[in-house]
Amino acid sequence: MNGNNRFRQIHRWLSVAFTEAVIVNIIAVPRGKSTDWVGLLALLPPCLLMLIGL
Ligand code: HEM
């Protein structure tokens, strides 16, 4: 596997993690069960996605 493929794979899995974190937030926020930690869960993956995507 060359470097480009590895970056694509990391980008792909981070996008899955981000999607799941968004779903967790959509469920937790209206129930008032959100915490700083839950919010940050959805913030880190897109930052990494941007760095790797760029
Ligand atoms: C600023 C943020 C982002 C940048 C600059 C970026 C950039 C890119 C680039 C350049 C590609 C390759 C496209 C190609 O070769 O045709 C790509 C693929 C992809 N991106 Fe992003 N992306 C970003 C954020 C996201 C986010 C937020 C998601 C989803 C939650 C996402 C999901 C994907 C997926 C699933 C692919 C296809 C990966 C593969 O299977 O090879 N990206 N992105």
Side-chain angles (χ1 to χ4, degrees):
M1 188 187 270
N2 65 32
N4 195 40
N5 272 342
R6 204 185 348 248
F7 278 122
R8 287 195 86 142
Q9 195 117 37
I10 293 170
H11 197 80
R12 201 177 303 161
W13 280 107
L14 278 173
S15 76
V16 173
F18 176 53
T19 305
E20 289 177 351
V22 168
I23 292 168
V24 168
N25 269 272
I26 286 172
I27 294 170
V29 171
R31 293 180 179 203
K33 294 256 171 89
S34 188
T35 61
D36 287 350
W37 188 83
V38 170
L40 285 174
L41 207 64
L43 212 58
L44 185 63
C47 293
L48 297 173
L49 275 165
M50 186 181 70
L51 289 176
I52 292 175
L54 288 173

